[in-house]
């Protein structure tokens, strides 16, 4: 059955999705899935304008930043019309940039806190030894 579900998936190119960015047809991308939110515009608790700003593009980062409820996530599934074509997925670079930033942040945390803390501890121990000799 899983094979049948995969065959039923409709794929859309980014070029196709970008054409749907007005109130007559409002599509967005969330986690590589394509959502037709046209009939949901007026019902969106966050306002119609928020969705229209994201229309025709990848709204994943903004969707996650808002922190939508479980109910909102379940409701969103009813608007899925397909997925971003696998060939176009690498063009959606936001998750990759976020990952790189996170990795750099971890490295930065290490160099900004751990190394100075160890250095301070070493200096404190040397000072204590120096005072003990007097």
């Amino acid at each position: 059955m899983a094979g049948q579900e995969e065959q039923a998936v409709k794929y859309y190119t980014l070029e196709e999705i970008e054409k749907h960015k007005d109130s007559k047809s409002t599509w967005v991308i969330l986690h590589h899935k394509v959502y037709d939110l046209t009939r949901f515009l007026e019902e969106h608790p966050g306002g119609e304008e928020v969705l229209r700003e994201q229309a025709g593009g990848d709204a994943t980062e903004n969707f996650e930043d808002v922190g939508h409820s479980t109910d909102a996530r379940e409701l969103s599934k009813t608007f899925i019309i397909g997925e971003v074509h696998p060939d176009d997925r690498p063009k959606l670079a936001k998750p990759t940039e976020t990952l790189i930033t996170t990795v750099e942040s971890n490295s930065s945390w290490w160099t900004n806190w751990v190394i100075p803390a160890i250095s301070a501890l070493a200096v404190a121990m040397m000072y204590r030894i120096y005072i003990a000799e007097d």
Side-chain angles (χ1 to χ4, degrees):
M1 284 190 179
Q4 291 174 348
E5 289 176 19
E6 288 180 26
Q7 291 174 352
V9 173
K10 172 81 171 123
Y11 290 107
Y12 296 95
T13 64
L14 290 178
E15 188 177 326
E16 289 174 290
I17 297 164
E18 288 169 0
K19 294 176 185 176
H20 298 271
K21 57 183 176 186
D22 56 44
S23 58
K24 294 176 184 173
S25 183
T26 306
W27 292 8
V28 298
I29 301 165
L30 296 173
H31 299 287
H32 301 276
K33 294 192 180 344
V34 181
Y35 296 73
D36 183 350
L37 300 178
T38 311
R39 68 181 199 267
F40 184 65
L41 285 176
E42 293 178 14
E43 298 172 31
H44 184 243
E48 180 177 337
E49 193 59 36
V50 176
L51 296 179
R52 291 176 71 189
E53 287 173 4
Q54 301 297 311
D58 187 358
T60 304
E61 187 174 340
N62 290 334
F63 181 83
E64 293 302 338
D65 285 349
V66 169
H68 285 85
S69 68
T70 305
D71 289 343
R73 291 173 188 279
E74 286 302 312
L75 177 63
S76 73
K77 292 176 184 177
T78 65
F79 297 102
I80 296 172
I81 58 171
E83 295 184 15
V84 176
H85 193 281
D87 292 344
D88 279 355
R89 290 180 185 185
K91 296 175 186 175
L92 301 174
K94 286 181 185 175
T96 305
E97 290 171 9
T98 304
L99 179 62
I100 290 169
T101 302
T102 303
V103 169
E104 288 173 358
S105 295
N106 287 341
S107 173
S108 178
W109 179 84
W110 176 260
T111 56
N112 287 338
W113 292 100
V114 176
I115 293 174
I118 292 171
S119 300
L121 185 60
V123 169
M125 289 179 68
M126 289 182 352
Y127 178 75
R128 189 170 187 139
I129 292 169
Y130 176 76
I131 294 295
E133 289 177 358
D134 287 348

